[in-house]
PDB file of all heavy atoms in Angstrom:
ATOM      1  N   THR A1472     108.491  77.990  73.721  1.00  0.00           N
ATOM      2  CA  THR A1472     109.553  77.853  74.920  1.00  0.00           C
ATOM      3  C   THR A1472     109.778  76.420  74.993  1.00  0.00           C
ATOM      4  O   THR A1472     108.925  75.479  74.897  1.00  0.00           O
ATOM      5  CB  THR A1472     109.135  78.469  76.184  1.00  0.00           C
ATOM      6  OG1 THR A1472     107.910  77.851  76.653  1.00  0.00           O
ATOM      7  CG2 THR A1472     108.755  79.908  76.039  1.00  0.00           C
ATOM      8  N   ILE A1473     111.011  76.075  75.499  1.00  0.00           N
ATOM      9  CA  ILE A1473     111.462  74.675  75.805  1.00  0.00           C
ATOM     10  C   ILE A1473     111.930  74.715  77.174  1.00  0.00           C
ATOM     11  O   ILE A1473     112.846  75.479  77.621  1.00  0.00           O
ATOM     12  CB  ILE A1473     112.427  74.159  74.897  1.00  0.00           C
ATOM     13  CG1 ILE A1473     112.056  74.178  73.538  1.00  0.00           C
ATOM     14  CG2 ILE A1473     112.948  72.782  75.295  1.00  0.00           C
ATOM     15  CD1 ILE A1473     113.122  73.831  72.337  1.00  0.00           C
ATOM     16  N   ASN A1474     111.389  73.845  78.051  1.00  0.00           N
ATOM     17  CA  ASN A1474     111.759  73.886  79.485  1.00  0.00           C
ATOM     18  C   ASN A1474     113.277  73.348  79.689  1.00  0.00           C
ATOM     19  O   ASN A1474     113.547  72.351  78.995  1.00  0.00           O
ATOM     20  CB  ASN A1474     110.767  73.059  80.250  1.00  0.00           C
ATOM     21  CG  ASN A1474     109.452  73.573  80.530  1.00  0.00           C
ATOM     22  OD1 ASN A1474     109.374  74.753  80.643  1.00  0.00           O
ATOM     23  ND2 ASN A1474     108.397  72.660  80.554  1.00  0.00           N
ATOM     24  N   GLN A1475     113.975  74.167  80.306  1.00  0.00           N
ATOM     25  CA  GLN A1475     115.258  73.745  80.689  1.00  0.00           C
ATOM     26  C   GLN A1475     115.524  73.530  82.243  1.00  0.00           C
ATOM     27  O   GLN A1475     114.538  73.925  82.938  1.00  0.00           O
ATOM     28  CB  GLN A1475     116.330  74.868  80.261  1.00  0.00           C
ATOM     29  CG  GLN A1475     116.193  75.094  78.709  1.00  0.00           C
ATOM     30  CD  GLN A1475     116.849  74.041  77.828  1.00  0.00           C
ATOM     31  OE1 GLN A1475     117.451  73.117  78.404  1.00  0.00           O
ATOM     32  NE2 GLN A1475     116.697  74.261  76.584  1.00  0.00           N
ATOM     33  N   SER A1476     116.602  73.041  82.674  1.00  0.00           N
ATOM     34  CA  SER A1476     116.787  73.049  84.106  1.00  0.00           C
ATOM     35  C   SER A1476     116.989  74.458  84.776  1.00  0.00           C
ATOM     36  O   SER A1476     117.313  75.356  84.001  1.00  0.00           O
ATOM     37  CB  SER A1476     118.112  72.287  84.428  1.00  0.00           C
ATOM     38  OG  SER A1476     119.253  72.847  83.730  1.00  0.00           O
ATOM     39  N   ILE A1477     116.478  74.607  85.910  1.00  0.00           N
ATOM     40  CA  ILE A1477     116.606  75.867  86.592  1.00  0.00           C
ATOM     41  C   ILE A1477     118.108  76.254  86.674  1.00  0.00           C
ATOM     42  O   ILE A1477     118.978  75.651  87.128  1.00  0.00           O
ATOM     43  CB  ILE A1477     115.906  75.776  87.973  1.00  0.00           C
ATOM     44  CG1 ILE A1477     114.450  75.506  87.845  1.00  0.00           C
ATOM     45  CG2 ILE A1477     116.121  77.038  88.755  1.00  0.00           C
ATOM     46  CD1 ILE A1477     113.759  75.089  89.120  1.00  0.00           C
ATOM     47  N   ASN A1478     118.286  77.564  86.355  1.00  0.00           N
ATOM     48  CA  ASN A1478     119.581  78.111  86.400  1.00  0.00           C
ATOM     49  C   ASN A1478     119.590  79.560  86.800  1.00  0.00           C
ATOM     50  O   ASN A1478     119.415  80.574  86.118  1.00  0.00           O
ATOM     51  CB  ASN A1478     120.300  78.107  85.009  1.00  0.00           C
ATOM     52  CG  ASN A1478     121.881  78.407  85.067  1.00  0.00           C
ATOM     53  OD1 ASN A1478     122.300  79.176  85.954  1.00  0.00           O
ATOM     54  ND2 ASN A1478     122.616  77.814  84.157  1.00  0.00           N
ATOM     55  N   VAL A1479     119.660  79.786  88.073  1.00  0.00           N
ATOM     56  CA  VAL A1479     119.494  81.131  88.688  1.00  0.00           C
ATOM     57  C   VAL A1479     120.586  82.071  88.323  1.00  0.00           C
ATOM     58  O   VAL A1479     120.500  83.261  88.183  1.00  0.00           O
ATOM     59  CB  VAL A1479     119.394  81.030  90.283  1.00  0.00           C
ATOM     60  CG1 VAL A1479     119.202  82.398  90.856  1.00  0.00           C
ATOM     61  CG2 VAL A1479     118.108  80.213  90.732  1.00  0.00           C
ATOM     62  N   ASN A1480     121.866  81.396  88.198  1.00  0.00           N
ATOM     63  CA  ASN A1480     122.974  82.262  87.819  1.00  0.00           C
ATOM     64  C   ASN A1480     122.716  82.919  86.378  1.00  0.00           C
ATOM     65  O   ASN A1480     123.133  84.071  86.195  1.00  0.00           O
ATOM     66  CB  ASN A1480     124.231  81.319  87.667  1.00  0.00           C
ATOM     67  CG  ASN A1480     125.505  82.036  87.168  1.00  0.00           C
ATOM     68  OD1 ASN A1480     125.707  83.189  87.638  1.00  0.00           O
ATOM     69  ND2 ASN A1480     126.176  81.471  86.224  1.00  0.00           N
ATOM     70  N   LEU A1481     122.062  82.206  85.428  1.00  0.00           N
ATOM     71  CA  LEU A1481     121.748  82.759  84.257  1.00  0.00           C
ATOM     72  C   LEU A1481     120.721  83.873  84.339  1.00  0.00           C
ATOM     73  O   LEU A1481     120.868  84.953  83.550  1.00  0.00           O
ATOM     74  CB  LEU A1481     121.276  81.616  83.250  1.00  0.00           C
ATOM     75  CG  LEU A1481     121.257  82.009  81.753  1.00  0.00           C
ATOM     76  CD1 LEU A1481     122.700  82.097  81.303  1.00  0.00           C
ATOM     77  CD2 LEU A1481     120.530  80.915  81.018  1.00  0.00           C
ATOM     78  N   LEU A1482     119.744  83.768  85.227  1.00  0.00           N
ATOM     79  CA  LEU A1482     118.714  84.863  85.361  1.00  0.00           C
ATOM     80  C   LEU A1482     119.474  86.094  85.912  1.00  0.00           C
ATOM     81  O   LEU A1482     119.066  87.249  85.625  1.00  0.00           O
ATOM     82  CB  LEU A1482     117.688  84.386  86.350  1.00  0.00           C
ATOM     83  CG  LEU A1482     117.021  83.053  85.987  1.00  0.00           C
ATOM     84  CD1 LEU A1482     115.897  82.651  87.042  1.00  0.00           C
ATOM     85  CD2 LEU A1482     116.430  83.009  84.508  1.00  0.00           C
ATOM     86  N   VAL A1483     120.359  85.902  86.861  1.00  0.00           N
ATOM     87  CA  VAL A1483     121.005  87.062  87.370  1.00  0.00           C
ATOM     88  C   VAL A1483     121.907  87.768  86.358  1.00  0.00           C
ATOM     89  O   VAL A1483     121.922  88.980  86.246  1.00  0.00           O
ATOM     90  CB  VAL A1483     121.983  86.632  88.566  1.00  0.00           C
ATOM     91  CG1 VAL A1483     122.856  87.786  89.011  1.00  0.00           C
ATOM     92  CG2 VAL A1483     121.095  86.156  89.821  1.00  0.00           C
ATOM     93  N   GLN A1484     122.504  86.998  85.456  1.00  0.00           N
ATOM     94  CA  GLN A1484     123.308  87.576  84.375  1.00  0.00           C
ATOM     95  C   GLN A1484     122.379  88.400  83.451  1.00  0.00           C
ATOM     96  O   GLN A1484     122.866  89.488  83.039  1.00  0.00           O
ATOM     97  CB  GLN A1484     123.970  86.409  83.531  1.00  0.00           C
ATOM     98  CG  GLN A1484     125.253  85.758  84.285  1.00  0.00           C
ATOM     99  CD  GLN A1484     125.857  84.739  83.369  1.00  0.00           C
ATOM    100  OE1 GLN A1484     126.368  85.045  82.402  1.00  0.00           O
ATOM    101  NE2 GLN A1484     125.704  83.497  83.778  1.00  0.00           N
ATOM    102  N   ILE A1485     121.245  87.897  83.071  1.00  0.00           N
ATOM    103  CA  ILE A1485     120.401  88.572  82.231  1.00  0.00           C
ATOM    104  C   ILE A1485     119.889  89.986  82.896  1.00  0.00           C
ATOM    105  O   ILE A1485     119.916  91.020  82.106  1.00  0.00           O
ATOM    106  CB  ILE A1485     119.082  87.777  81.918  1.00  0.00           C
ATOM    107  CG1 ILE A1485     119.510  86.554  80.964  1.00  0.00           C
ATOM    108  CG2 ILE A1485     118.055  88.562  81.162  1.00  0.00           C
ATOM    109  CD1 ILE A1485     118.401  85.571  80.741  1.00  0.00           C
ATOM    110  N   GLN A1486     119.669  89.899  84.135  1.00  0.00           N
ATOM    111  CA  GLN A1486     119.221  91.126  84.841  1.00  0.00           C
ATOM    112  C   GLN A1486     120.364  92.150  84.830  1.00  0.00           C
ATOM    113  O   GLN A1486     120.110  93.286  84.737  1.00  0.00           O
ATOM    114  CB  GLN A1486     118.805  90.708  86.283  1.00  0.00           C
ATOM    115  CG  GLN A1486     118.210  91.968  87.023  1.00  0.00           C
ATOM    116  CD  GLN A1486     117.478  91.535  88.256  1.00  0.00           C
ATOM    117  OE1 GLN A1486     117.584  90.421  88.749  1.00  0.00           O
ATOM    118  NE2 GLN A1486     116.637  92.486  88.827  1.00  0.00           N
ATOM    119  N   GLN A1487     121.531  91.659  85.109  1.00  0.00           N
ATOM    120  CA  GLN A1487     122.732  92.492  84.957  1.00  0.00           C
ATOM    121  C   GLN A1487     122.837  93.195  83.625  1.00  0.00           C
ATOM    122  O   GLN A1487     123.270  94.327  83.556  1.00  0.00           O
ATOM    123  CB  GLN A1487     124.073  91.726  85.376  1.00  0.00           C
ATOM    124  CG  GLN A1487     124.041  91.435  86.912  1.00  0.00           C
ATOM    125  CD  GLN A1487     125.215  90.494  87.212  1.00  0.00           C
ATOM    126  OE1 GLN A1487     125.845  89.921  86.311  1.00  0.00           O
ATOM    127  NE2 GLN A1487     125.608  90.446  88.455  1.00  0.00           N
ATOM    128  N   ILE A1488     122.762  92.469  82.563  1.00  0.00           N
ATOM    129  CA  ILE A1488     122.778  92.987  81.207  1.00  0.00           C
ATOM    130  C   ILE A1488     121.769  94.087  80.946  1.00  0.00           C
ATOM    131  O   ILE A1488     122.120  95.166  80.497  1.00  0.00           O
ATOM    132  CB  ILE A1488     122.655  91.861  80.192  1.00  0.00           C
ATOM    133  CG1 ILE A1488     123.731  90.858  80.173  1.00  0.00           C
ATOM    134  CG2 ILE A1488     122.346  92.419  78.786  1.00  0.00           C
ATOM    135  CD1 ILE A1488     123.473  89.695  79.235  1.00  0.00           C
ATOM    136  N   ILE A1489     120.556  93.855  81.531  1.00  0.00           N
ATOM    137  CA  ILE A1489     119.427  94.917  81.351  1.00  0.00           C
ATOM    138  C   ILE A1489     119.800  96.090  82.154  1.00  0.00           C
ATOM    139  O   ILE A1489     119.620  97.300  81.716  1.00  0.00           O
ATOM    140  CB  ILE A1489     118.152  94.220  81.642  1.00  0.00           C
ATOM    141  CG1 ILE A1489     117.799  93.220  80.661  1.00  0.00           C
ATOM    142  CG2 ILE A1489     117.064  95.257  81.645  1.00  0.00           C
ATOM    143  CD1 ILE A1489     116.631  92.405  80.997  1.00  0.00           C
ATOM    144  N   ASN A1490     120.311  95.951  83.422  1.00  0.00           N
ATOM    145  CA  ASN A1490     120.707  97.038  84.140  1.00  0.00           C
ATOM    146  C   ASN A1490     121.804  97.919  83.532  1.00  0.00           C
ATOM    147  O   ASN A1490     121.809  99.133  83.528  1.00  0.00           O
ATOM    148  CB  ASN A1490     121.131  96.613  85.587  1.00  0.00           C
ATOM    149  CG  ASN A1490     120.046  96.028  86.419  1.00  0.00           C
ATOM    150  OD1 ASN A1490     118.803  96.375  86.271  1.00  0.00           O
ATOM    151  ND2 ASN A1490     120.372  95.245  87.417  1.00  0.00           N
ATOM    152  N   LYS A1491     122.728  97.230  82.903  1.00  0.00           N
ATOM    153  CA  LYS A1491     123.810  97.966  82.308  1.00  0.00           C
ATOM    154  C   LYS A1491     123.371  98.665  81.075  1.00  0.00           C
ATOM    155  O   LYS A1491     123.758  99.743  80.743  1.00  0.00           O
ATOM    156  CB  LYS A1491     124.931  96.888  81.900  1.00  0.00           C
ATOM    157  CG  LYS A1491     126.184  97.548  81.188  1.00  0.00           C
ATOM    158  CD  LYS A1491     127.251  96.487  81.002  1.00  0.00           C
ATOM    159  CE  LYS A1491     128.477  97.093  80.427  1.00  0.00           C
ATOM    160  NZ  LYS A1491     129.576  96.137  80.136  1.00  0.00           N
ATOM    161  N   THR A1492     122.374  98.028  80.327  1.00  0.00           N
ATOM    162  CA  THR A1492     121.793  98.715  79.111  1.00  0.00           C
ATOM    163  C   THR A1492     121.073  99.996  79.436  1.00  0.00           C
ATOM    164  O   THR A1492     121.224 100.922  78.792  1.00  0.00           O
ATOM    165  CB  THR A1492     120.984  97.690  78.393  1.00  0.00           C
ATOM    166  OG1 THR A1492     121.550  96.523  78.055  1.00  0.00           O
ATOM    167  CG2 THR A1492     120.314  98.299  77.078  1.00  0.00           C
ATOM    168  N   GLU A1493     120.296  99.914  80.526  1.00  0.00           N
ATOM    169  CA  GLU A1493     119.533 101.037  81.048  1.00  0.00           C
ATOM    170  C   GLU A1493     120.451 102.176  81.459  1.00  0.00           C
ATOM    171  O   GLU A1493     120.138 103.277  81.369  1.00  0.00           O
ATOM    172  CB  GLU A1493     118.656 100.610  82.135  1.00  0.00           C
ATOM    173  CG  GLU A1493     117.487  99.749  81.725  1.00  0.00           C
ATOM    174  CD  GLU A1493     116.579  99.298  82.809  1.00  0.00           C
ATOM    175  OE1 GLU A1493     117.169  99.116  84.027  1.00  0.00           O
ATOM    176  OE2 GLU A1493     115.352  99.224  82.774  1.00  0.00           O
ATOM    177  N   ALA A1494     121.589 101.819  81.989  1.00  0.00           N
ATOM    178  CA  ALA A1494     122.541 102.728  82.548  1.00  0.00           C
ATOM    179  C   ALA A1494     123.430 103.413  81.613  1.00  0.00           C
ATOM    180  O   ALA A1494     124.169 104.356  81.751  1.00  0.00           O
ATOM    181  CB  ALA A1494     123.378 102.227  83.639  1.00  0.00           C
ATOM    182  N   THR A1495     123.432 102.793  80.287  1.00  0.00           N
ATOM    183  CA  THR A1495     124.277 103.281  79.176  1.00  0.00           C
ATOM    184  C   THR A1495     123.801 104.651  78.647  1.00  0.00           C
ATOM    185  O   THR A1495     122.635 104.745  78.230  1.00  0.00           O
ATOM    186  CB  THR A1495     124.423 102.287  78.078  1.00  0.00           C
ATOM    187  OG1 THR A1495     124.840 101.067  78.550  1.00  0.00           O
ATOM    188  CG2 THR A1495     125.318 102.796  76.922  1.00  0.00           C
ATOM    189  N   VAL A1496     124.639 105.650  78.723  1.00  0.00           N
ATOM    190  CA  VAL A1496     124.201 106.978  78.104  1.00  0.00           C
ATOM    191  C   VAL A1496     124.470 107.061  76.609  1.00  0.00           C
ATOM    192  O   VAL A1496     123.664 107.499  75.860  1.00  0.00           O
ATOM    193  CB  VAL A1496     124.940 108.139  78.815  1.00  0.00           C
ATOM    194  CG1 VAL A1496     124.564 109.393  78.228  1.00  0.00           C
ATOM    195  CG2 VAL A1496     124.811 108.119  80.279  1.00  0.00           C
ATOM    196  N   ASP A1497     125.561 106.520  76.173  1.00  0.00           N
ATOM    197  CA  ASP A1497     125.923 106.525  74.698  1.00  0.00           C
ATOM    198  C   ASP A1497     125.115 105.427  73.990  1.00  0.00           C
ATOM    199  O   ASP A1497     125.377 104.254  74.215  1.00  0.00           O
ATOM    200  CB  ASP A1497     127.400 106.413  74.584  1.00  0.00           C
ATOM    201  CG  ASP A1497     127.879 106.386  73.095  1.00  0.00           C
ATOM    202  OD1 ASP A1497     127.009 106.780  72.258  1.00  0.00           O
ATOM    203  OD2 ASP A1497     129.072 105.955  72.752  1.00  0.00           O
ATOM    204  N   SER A1498     124.226 105.717  73.252  1.00  0.00           N
ATOM    205  CA  SER A1498     123.422 104.723  72.495  1.00  0.00           C
ATOM    206  C   SER A1498     123.983 104.206  71.299  1.00  0.00           C
ATOM    207  O   SER A1498     123.424 103.382  70.553  1.00  0.00           O
ATOM    208  CB  SER A1498     122.005 105.371  72.214  1.00  0.00           C
ATOM    209  OG  SER A1498     122.139 106.471  71.328  1.00  0.00           O
ATOM    210  N   THR A1499     125.266 104.653  70.982  1.00  0.00           N
ATOM    211  CA  THR A1499     125.859 104.089  69.665  1.00  0.00           C
ATOM    212  C   THR A1499     126.116 102.644  69.846  1.00  0.00           C
ATOM    213  O   THR A1499     126.871 102.206  70.831  1.00  0.00           O
ATOM    214  CB  THR A1499     127.109 104.962  69.430  1.00  0.00           C
ATOM    215  OG1 THR A1499     126.912 106.425  69.497  1.00  0.00           O
ATOM    216  CG2 THR A1499     127.821 104.533  68.142  1.00  0.00           C
ATOM    217  N   ALA A1500     125.710 101.894  68.906  1.00  0.00           N
ATOM    218  CA  ALA A1500     125.939 100.514  68.783  1.00  0.00           C
ATOM    219  C   ALA A1500     125.492  99.762  70.017  1.00  0.00           C
ATOM    220  O   ALA A1500     126.001  98.667  70.371  1.00  0.00           O
ATOM    221  CB  ALA A1500     127.415 100.154  68.613  1.00  0.00           C
ATOM    222  N   LEU A1501     124.443 100.422  70.689  1.00  0.00           N
ATOM    223  CA  LEU A1501     123.860  99.820  71.999  1.00  0.00           C
ATOM    224  C   LEU A1501     123.281  98.413  71.743  1.00  0.00           C
ATOM    225  O   LEU A1501     123.414  97.443  72.501  1.00  0.00           O
ATOM    226  CB  LEU A1501     122.936 100.751  72.660  1.00  0.00           C
ATOM    227  CG  LEU A1501     122.312 100.219  74.041  1.00  0.00           C
ATOM    228  CD1 LEU A1501     123.473 100.031  75.041  1.00  0.00           C
ATOM    229  CD2 LEU A1501     121.374 101.327  74.542  1.00  0.00           C
ATOM    230  N   ILE A1502     122.615  98.254  70.635  1.00  0.00           N
ATOM    231  CA  ILE A1502     121.932  97.069  70.216  1.00  0.00           C
ATOM    232  C   ILE A1502     123.066  95.950  70.013  1.00  0.00           C
ATOM    233  O   ILE A1502     122.885  94.789  70.514  1.00  0.00           O
ATOM    234  CB  ILE A1502     121.023  97.135  68.973  1.00  0.00           C
ATOM    235  CG1 ILE A1502     120.010  98.069  69.278  1.00  0.00           C
ATOM    236  CG2 ILE A1502     120.498  95.889  68.534  1.00  0.00           C
ATOM    237  CD1 ILE A1502     119.137  98.339  68.038  1.00  0.00           C
ATOM    238  N   ASP A1503     124.006  96.336  69.317  1.00  0.00           N
ATOM    239  CA  ASP A1503     125.159  95.321  69.047  1.00  0.00           C
ATOM    240  C   ASP A1503     125.844  94.789  70.402  1.00  0.00           C
ATOM    241  O   ASP A1503     126.114  93.683  70.574  1.00  0.00           O
ATOM    242  CB  ASP A1503     126.259  95.953  68.189  1.00  0.00           C
ATOM    243  CG  ASP A1503     125.658  96.220  66.760  1.00  0.00           C
ATOM    244  OD1 ASP A1503     124.852  95.457  66.299  1.00  0.00           O
ATOM    245  OD2 ASP A1503     126.206  97.232  66.075  1.00  0.00           O
ATOM    246  N   ARG A1504     126.049  95.770  71.279  1.00  0.00           N
ATOM    247  CA  ARG A1504     126.633  95.490  72.472  1.00  0.00           C
ATOM    248  C   ARG A1504     125.788  94.486  73.336  1.00  0.00           C
ATOM    249  O   ARG A1504     126.206  93.655  74.013  1.00  0.00           O
ATOM    250  CB  ARG A1504     127.050  96.762  73.307  1.00  0.00           C
ATOM    251  CG  ARG A1504     128.194  97.580  72.687  1.00  0.00           C
ATOM    252  CD  ARG A1504     128.830  98.531  73.699  1.00  0.00           C
ATOM    253  NE  ARG A1504     127.921  99.531  74.208  1.00  0.00           N
ATOM    254  CZ  ARG A1504     127.667 100.615  73.702  1.00  0.00           C
ATOM    255  NH1 ARG A1504     128.141 101.040  72.615  1.00  0.00           N
ATOM    256  NH2 ARG A1504     126.846 101.422  74.224  1.00  0.00           N
ATOM    257  N   THR A1505     124.538  94.934  73.300  1.00  0.00           N
ATOM    258  CA  THR A1505     123.492  94.014  74.117  1.00  0.00           C
ATOM    259  C   THR A1505     123.390  92.744  73.532  1.00  0.00           C
ATOM    260  O   THR A1505     123.301  91.677  74.354  1.00  0.00           O
ATOM    261  CB  THR A1505     122.206  94.795  74.168  1.00  0.00           C
ATOM    262  OG1 THR A1505     122.332  96.138  74.703  1.00  0.00           O
ATOM    263  CG2 THR A1505     121.252  94.035  75.127  1.00  0.00           C
ATOM    264  N   THR A1506     123.347  92.675  72.274  1.00  0.00           N
ATOM    265  CA  THR A1506     123.306  91.329  71.557  1.00  0.00           C
ATOM    266  C   THR A1506     124.432  90.503  71.931  1.00  0.00           C
ATOM    267  O   THR A1506     124.434  89.304  72.119  1.00  0.00           O
ATOM    268  CB  THR A1506     123.138  91.457  70.072  1.00  0.00           C
ATOM    269  OG1 THR A1506     122.004  92.336  69.766  1.00  0.00           O
ATOM    270  CG2 THR A1506     123.046  90.169  69.359  1.00  0.00           C
ATOM    271  N   LEU A1507     125.657  91.141  71.872  1.00  0.00           N
ATOM    272  CA  LEU A1507     126.979  90.419  72.110  1.00  0.00           C
ATOM    273  C   LEU A1507     126.956  89.926  73.690  1.00  0.00           C
ATOM    274  O   LEU A1507     127.465  88.812  73.840  1.00  0.00           O
ATOM    275  CB  LEU A1507     128.193  91.336  71.870  1.00  0.00           C
ATOM    276  CG  LEU A1507     129.504  90.737  72.155  1.00  0.00           C
ATOM    277  CD1 LEU A1507     129.723  89.603  71.290  1.00  0.00           C
ATOM    278  CD2 LEU A1507     130.538  91.757  72.039  1.00  0.00           C
ATOM    279  N   ALA A1508     126.430  90.682  74.497  1.00  0.00           N
ATOM    280  CA  ALA A1508     126.254  90.308  75.897  1.00  0.00           C
ATOM    281  C   ALA A1508     125.404  89.122  76.044  1.00  0.00           C
ATOM    282  O   ALA A1508     125.729  88.161  76.828  1.00  0.00           O
ATOM    283  CB  ALA A1508     125.780  91.442  76.757  1.00  0.00           C
ATOM    284  N   PHE A1509     124.356  89.020  75.381  1.00  0.00           N
ATOM    285  CA  PHE A1509     123.424  87.763  75.388  1.00  0.00           C
ATOM    286  C   PHE A1509     124.194  86.606  74.769  1.00  0.00           C
ATOM    287  O   PHE A1509     123.953  85.422  75.200  1.00  0.00           O
ATOM    288  CB  PHE A1509     122.139  88.008  74.676  1.00  0.00           C
ATOM    289  CG  PHE A1509     121.021  88.648  75.490  1.00  0.00           C
ATOM    290  CD1 PHE A1509     120.923  90.018  75.554  1.00  0.00           C
ATOM    291  CD2 PHE A1509     120.366  87.977  76.314  1.00  0.00           C
ATOM    292  CE1 PHE A1509     120.005  90.574  76.349  1.00  0.00           C
ATOM    293  CE2 PHE A1509     119.340  88.452  77.164  1.00  0.00           C
ATOM    294  CZ  PHE A1509     119.186  89.878  77.184  1.00  0.00           C
ATOM    295  N   ASP A1510     124.922  86.824  73.618  1.00  0.00           N
ATOM    296  CA  ASP A1510     125.653  85.717  73.113  1.00  0.00           C
ATOM    297  C   ASP A1510     126.738  85.165  73.972  1.00  0.00           C
ATOM    298  O   ASP A1510     127.105  83.982  73.867  1.00  0.00           O
ATOM    299  CB  ASP A1510     126.329  86.331  71.756  1.00  0.00           C
ATOM    300  CG  ASP A1510     125.356  86.566  70.610  1.00  0.00           C
ATOM    301  OD1 ASP A1510     124.130  85.989  70.694  1.00  0.00           O
ATOM    302  OD2 ASP A1510     125.805  87.359  69.715  1.00  0.00           O
ATOM    303  N   GLU A1511     127.264  86.015  74.881  1.00  0.00           N
ATOM    304  CA  GLU A1511     128.298  85.597  75.764  1.00  0.00           C
ATOM    305  C   GLU A1511     127.897  85.149  77.137  1.00  0.00           C
ATOM    306  O   GLU A1511     128.680  85.083  78.116  1.00  0.00           O
ATOM    307  CB  GLU A1511     129.390  86.695  75.982  1.00  0.00           C
ATOM    308  CG  GLU A1511     130.109  87.022  74.559  1.00  0.00           C
ATOM    309  CD  GLU A1511     131.081  88.197  74.703  1.00  0.00           C
ATOM    310  OE1 GLU A1511     131.035  88.918  75.747  1.00  0.00           O
ATOM    311  OE2 GLU A1511     131.927  88.384  73.794  1.00  0.00           O
TER     312      GLU A1511
END
């Protein structure tokens, strides 16, 4: 790991991505969509 400056907004975005992944029923291309969400 490399220490970066604290960014609470980024932490909230990651939690939202995971909540959305958990709530997704259709698992088709779920990995691709989650990877894209992290890229964006």
Side-chain angles (χ1 to χ4, degrees):
T1472 63
I1473 300 174
N1474 289 327
Q1475 304 283 353
S1476 58
I1477 295 169
N1478 191 332
V1479 178
N1480 177 48
L1481 197 68
L1482 304 183
V1483 172
Q1484 291 181 64
I1485 293 174
Q1486 188 166 13
Q1487 290 174 341
I1488 291 172
I1489 294 172
N1490 290 338
K1491 187 176 180 179
T1492 302
E1493 288 178 326
T1495 302
V1496 178
D1497 182 14
S1498 60
T1499 305
L1501 182 58
I1502 299 176
D1503 293 331
R1504 292 200 299 271
T1505 306
T1506 303
L1507 181 62
F1509 274 95
D1510 291 338
E1511 294 178 345

